[in-house]
Amino acid sequence: MMFTRHRRLRRTSVMRQLVRETQLSCDDLIYPLFIKEGLKKKQEISSMPGIYQLSMADLLDEVASCLSRGLKSFIIFGIPQHKDPIGSQASDDNGIVQQAIGLIKKHYPEVLLIADTCLCEFTSHGHCGLLDGQTVLNDASLERLVDVALSQARAGADIIAPSNAMDGFVYAIRKALDSSGFEDIPIMSYAVKFASSFYGPFREAAEGAPSFGDRKTYQMDPANRLEALREAQSDEKEGADFLMVKPAMAFLDILRDLRQESKLPLVAYNVSGEYAMIKAAAQKGWINEKAIVLETLLGMKRAGADLIITYFAKDVANYLQE
Ligand code: PBG
């Protein structure tokens, strides 16, 4: 025999399905929702076509339209009417995120709700923690974030997802949840979160851009791989139930590394800038949107992701139904 006939297993569509190694399913997708306090009517985010800031009045319709497509898991971001230096509204039991969780749970108790635990949408300065001058404090921020997480759990969140990138956030939140009767609420840690330019459109959507400086003292340098493994390792030791890599497209190697190092479920966050690039090129007619979206998300799963947080979730649900 002179050579190997790989094409044998590609001969027909059914044959290709038979040997396909990676699948996308609505069960693996998490859809982000942005709820803005005081908003009358939903408003499209200009850099994220098809994604809206929702009002409380729009929220249930949006959830219903997702459920009818088979999407059952959501991550909730809130934009409060009033911001202050400590992000008070983030831990208010009557805050916008808590209200949104309560409303969805009342009508759709079966839905899975993930609360993003951070301060940047709630602070007047747009940083993810408390400040001393221009410095983002670590340990003082942890105390605030614990209050935020507890309030989200009381509101009915199924999973707490700390994205603030302070050191020790998993440890602090796990301890507080356990001592408050929430030992069954898992933590989905934004364990490997890079200081990325791919978050640009999100900062418009969530109105949480830093008013000065950047996030490079708490989010990771995109050049680093070993540091990503250290971040993931410490979060796992501190009690994380899921590990996330964010962004996804430029960091597939990190997903693969974590897949090999950890047995925890892995989450890829297909972030706002990744969504915006594909939507923009598709609107110009330069790419085949459906094919590119499916290829992109499959790549994340092939690299090692079990779950994907993606603004494309509704589009993918439609494709899977076709
Ligand atoms: C909050 C947070 C951010 C994103 C998710 N949670 C923004 C940031 O860290 O600046 C980005 C998500 C996206 O770009 O889609 N800290």
Side-chain angles (χ1 to χ4, degrees):
M1 195 198 53
M2 300 299 293
F3 60 86
T4 308
R5 292 199 181 274
H6 299 288
R7 293 181 57 187
R8 275 185 205 130
L9 297 184
R10 300 177 196 146
R11 201 169 50 80
T12 70
S13 169
V14 175
M15 183 78 84
R16 291 192 293 275
Q17 282 169 12
L18 199 65
V19 299
R20 187 159 296 144
E21 299 172 34
T22 313
Q23 314 278 347
L24 288 172
S25 149
C26 283
D27 294 347
D28 308 333
L29 301 178
I30 298 163
Y31 190 55
L33 297 175
F34 298 97
I35 301 98
K36 183 168 173 171
E37 193 173 29
L39 193 68
K40 293 272 177 297
K41 201 168 140 286
K42 70 177 182 180
Q43 205 168 347
E44 193 168 23
I45 297 149
S46 60
S47 52
M48 300 176 74
I51 305 294
Y52 294 80
Q53 289 183 330
L54 302 169
S55 71
M56 282 295 279
D58 300 311
L59 187 55
L60 291 177
D61 282 350
E62 180 68 27
V63 171
S65 94
C66 290
L67 284 172
S68 72
R69 293 171 163 86
L71 297 170
K72 299 157 286 189
S73 300
F74 302 89
I75 183 162
I76 310 287
F77 297 98
I79 303 120
Q81 227 158 2
H82 302 291
K83 304 193 182 205
D84 60 31
I86 65 164
S88 310
Q89 283 298 304
S91 58
D92 189 322
D93 282 350
N94 205 25
I96 185 66
V97 168
Q98 290 81 351
Q99 283 185 43
I101 292 173
L103 184 69
I104 298 172
K105 282 284 176 182
K106 190 170 145 212
H107 290 82
Y108 302 106
E110 74 279 17
V111 151
L112 186 138
L113 298 181
I114 303 170
D116 180 89
T117 306
C118 198
L119 293 177
C120 58
E121 296 110 63
F122 297 89
T123 50
S124 40
H125 46 75
H127 277 286
C128 304
L130 304 187
L131 296 183
D132 178 15
Q134 307 269 94
T135 305
V136 178
L137 300 170
N138 195 84
D139 299 19
S141 300
L142 289 183
E143 288 178 33
R144 281 289 301 133
L145 291 160
V146 159
D147 289 344
V148 177
L150 287 176
S151 173
Q152 292 169 334
R154 281 193 297 273
D158 296 289
I159 297 179
I160 298 298
S163 67
N164 50 81
M166 297 299 126
D167 286 333
F169 64 157
V170 175
Y171 171 80
I173 291 173
R174 184 71 272 159
K175 203 168 80 172
L177 288 172
D178 287 352
S179 60
S180 308
F182 295 116
E183 50 280 283
D184 284 337
I185 299 294
I187 295 178
M188 179 182 285
S189 173
Y190 284 68
V192 183
K193 181 167 180 182
F194 290 96
S196 168
S197 298
F198 282 99
Y199 307 151
F202 175 94
R203 292 180 185 169
E204 178 196 339
E207 302 181 15
S211 62
F212 68 89
D214 53 44
R215 305 207 200 287
K216 290 180 183 168
T217 70
Y218 44 106
Q219 299 181 352
M220 276 188 48
D221 182 341
N224 293 353
R225 170 173 166 263
L226 296 176
E227 187 185 1
L229 295 175
R230 294 200 296 273
E231 282 276 6
Q233 227 166 35
S234 62
D235 282 4
E236 185 160 353
K237 272 200 214 120
E238 292 172 25
D241 300 280
F242 300 80
L243 296 176
M244 193 192 301
V245 174
K246 174 179 172 214
M249 278 168 68
F251 300 91
L252 295 180
D253 58 325
I254 306 294
L255 274 168
R256 168 48 55 96
D257 284 341
L258 289 203
R259 180 69 299 154
Q260 277 157 359
E261 297 277 323
S262 172
K263 301 287 179 281
L264 292 180
L266 286 189
V267 187
Y269 198 141
N270 174 214
V271 301
S272 56
E274 299 169 343
Y275 177 84
M277 290 193 306
I278 292 178
K279 284 286 174 185
Q283 282 185 349
K284 284 191 168 282
W286 289 350
I287 57 171
N288 174 340
E289 179 173 351
K290 174 181 171 182
I292 295 259
V293 167
L294 293 175
E295 195 174 315
T296 302
L297 298 189
L298 266 181
M300 294 169 195
K301 293 206 76 179
R302 197 187 60 246
D306 300 296
L307 309 173
I308 306 174
I309 301 177
T310 179
Y311 305 98
F312 288 117
K314 271 168 93 173
D315 294 332
V316 173
N318 289 339
Y319 301 151
L320 294 176
Q321 276 176 358
E322 276 165 18

Coordinates of all heavy atoms in Angstrom, one line a residue, residues 77 116 118 120-121 128 163 190 193 198-199 202-203 215 219 246 269 271-272 311, ligand 1:
F77 N -26.4 40.8 32.8 CA -25.6 42.0 33.1 C -26.6 43.2 33.3 O -27.6 43.3 32.6 CB -24.7 42.4 31.9 CG -23.7 41.4 31.7 CD1 -23.8 40.4 30.7 CD2 -22.5 41.3 32.4 CE1 -22.9 39.4 30.4 CE2 -21.5 40.4 32.1 CZ -21.7 39.4 31.1
D116 N -23.3 37.7 36.7 CA -21.9 38.2 36.5 C -21.6 39.1 37.7 O -22.4 40.0 38.0 CB -21.8 39.0 35.2 CG -20.4 39.6 35.0 OD1 -19.6 38.9 34.4 OD2 -20.2 40.7 35.5
C118 N -19.5 41.6 39.3 CA -18.4 42.6 39.1 C -19.0 44.0 39.5 O -20.2 44.1 39.8 CB -18.0 42.6 37.6 SG -16.5 43.5 37.3
C120 N -17.9 47.0 37.7 CA -17.6 48.0 36.7 C -18.9 48.7 36.1 O -18.8 49.8 35.7 CB -16.7 47.5 35.6 SG -17.3 46.1 34.6
E121 N -20.0 47.9 36.0 CA -21.2 48.6 35.4 C -21.8 49.4 36.5 O -22.7 50.2 36.2 CB -22.2 47.5 35.0 CG -21.7 46.6 33.9 CD -21.5 45.2 34.3 OE1 -22.4 44.5 34.7 OE2 -20.3 44.7 34.2
C128 N -13.4 47.7 38.2 CA -14.1 46.5 38.7 C -14.0 46.4 40.2 O -14.4 45.4 40.7 CB -13.5 45.3 38.0 SG -13.7 45.4 36.2
S163 N -16.3 38.1 37.7 CA -15.5 38.5 36.5 C -14.6 39.6 36.8 O -14.0 40.2 36.0 CB -16.4 38.9 35.3 OG -17.1 40.1 35.7
Y190 N -14.3 33.5 36.1 CA -13.6 34.0 34.9 C -12.1 33.9 35.3 O -11.5 34.9 35.6 CB -13.9 35.5 34.7 CG -15.3 35.9 34.2 CD1 -16.5 35.7 34.8 CD2 -15.4 36.5 32.9 CE1 -17.7 36.1 34.3 CE2 -16.6 36.9 32.4 CZ -17.7 36.7 33.1 OH -18.9 37.1 32.6
K193 N -8.8 35.7 32.5 CA -9.4 36.8 31.8 C -8.3 37.8 31.4 O -7.6 38.4 32.2 CB -10.4 37.5 32.8 CG -11.1 38.7 32.2 CD -12.2 39.2 33.0 CE -12.9 40.4 32.4 NZ -14.0 40.9 33.2
F198 N -10.8 43.2 22.7 CA -12.0 42.6 22.2 C -13.3 42.9 23.0 O -14.4 42.5 22.7 CB -11.9 41.1 22.1 CG -11.1 40.6 20.9 CD1 -9.7 40.3 21.0 CD2 -11.6 40.5 19.6 CE1 -9.0 39.9 19.9 CE2 -10.9 40.1 18.5 CZ -9.6 39.8 18.7
Y199 N -13.1 43.6 24.2 CA -14.3 43.9 25.0 C -14.9 45.2 24.7 O -15.9 45.7 25.3 CB -13.9 44.0 26.5 CG -13.2 42.8 27.1 CD1 -12.3 42.9 28.1 CD2 -13.4 41.5 26.6 CE1 -11.6 41.8 28.7 CE2 -12.7 40.4 27.1 CZ -11.8 40.6 28.1 OH -11.1 39.5 28.6
F202 N -18.8 45.5 24.3 CA -19.4 45.2 25.6 C -19.5 46.5 26.5 O -20.4 46.7 27.2 CB -18.7 44.1 26.3 CG -19.2 43.8 27.7 CD1 -20.1 42.8 27.9 CD2 -18.8 44.5 28.8 CE1 -20.6 42.5 29.1 CE2 -19.2 44.2 30.1 CZ -20.2 43.2 30.2
R203 N -18.4 47.3 26.4 CA -18.4 48.4 27.3 C -19.4 49.5 26.9 O -19.9 50.2 27.7 CB -16.9 49.0 27.4 CG -16.1 47.9 28.1 CD -14.6 48.3 28.3 NE -13.9 47.2 28.9 CZ -12.6 47.1 29.0 NH1 -11.8 48.1 28.5 NH2 -12.0 46.1 29.5
R215 N -7.4 48.2 32.6 CA -7.6 47.1 33.6 C -6.3 46.2 33.7 O -6.4 45.1 34.2 CB -8.8 46.3 33.2 CG -10.1 47.0 33.0 CD -11.3 46.1 33.3 NE -12.5 46.5 32.7 CZ -13.3 47.6 33.2 NH1 -12.8 48.3 34.1 NH2 -14.4 47.8 32.6
Q219 N -6.5 42.4 35.1 CA -6.7 41.4 34.0 C -5.3 41.1 33.4 O -4.4 41.8 33.5 CB -7.6 42.0 32.9 CG -9.0 42.3 33.5 CD -10.0 42.9 32.5 OE1 -9.6 43.1 31.4 NE2 -11.2 43.0 32.9
K246 N -11.4 33.8 28.6 CA -12.0 35.0 27.9 C -11.0 36.0 27.5 O -10.1 36.3 28.3 CB -12.9 35.6 29.0 CG -13.6 36.9 28.5 CD -14.5 37.4 29.6 CE -14.9 38.8 29.2 NZ -15.1 39.7 30.3
Y269 N -15.7 32.3 26.6 CA -16.5 33.5 26.4 C -16.2 34.0 25.0 O -15.1 34.6 24.8 CB -16.3 34.5 27.5 CG -17.4 35.5 27.6 CD1 -17.8 35.9 28.9 CD2 -18.0 36.1 26.5 CE1 -18.8 36.9 29.0 CE2 -19.0 37.0 26.7 CZ -19.4 37.4 27.9 OH -20.4 38.4 28.0
V271 N -16.5 36.8 23.0 CA -16.8 38.1 23.5 C -17.4 39.1 22.4 O -17.4 38.7 21.2 CB -15.6 38.8 24.2 CG1 -15.2 37.9 25.4 CG2 -14.5 39.0 23.3
S272 N -17.7 40.3 22.9 CA -18.4 41.2 22.1 C -17.6 41.6 20.8 O -18.2 41.7 19.7 CB -18.7 42.5 22.9 OG -17.5 43.0 23.5
Y311 N -23.0 35.7 22.0 CA -24.1 36.6 21.5 C -24.7 35.9 20.3 O -25.7 36.4 19.8 CB -23.5 38.0 21.2 CG -22.8 38.6 22.4 CD1 -21.5 38.5 22.6 CD2 -23.6 39.1 23.5 CE1 -20.8 39.0 23.7 CE2 -23.0 39.6 24.6 CZ -21.6 39.6 24.7 OH -21.0 40.1 25.9
Ligands
PBG1 C1 -17.2 42.8 33.5 C2 -17.2 42.1 32.2 C3 -16.6 42.5 30.9 C4 -17.0 41.5 30.0 C5 -17.8 40.5 30.7 N1 -17.8 40.9 32.1 C6 -15.9 43.7 30.5 C7 -14.5 44.0 31.0 O1 -13.9 43.2 31.7 O2 -14.1 45.1 30.7 C8 -16.7 41.5 28.5 C9 -17.6 40.7 27.7 C10 -17.6 41.0 26.2 O3 -16.8 41.7 25.7 O4 -18.5 40.4 25.6 N2 -16.0 42.9 34.1

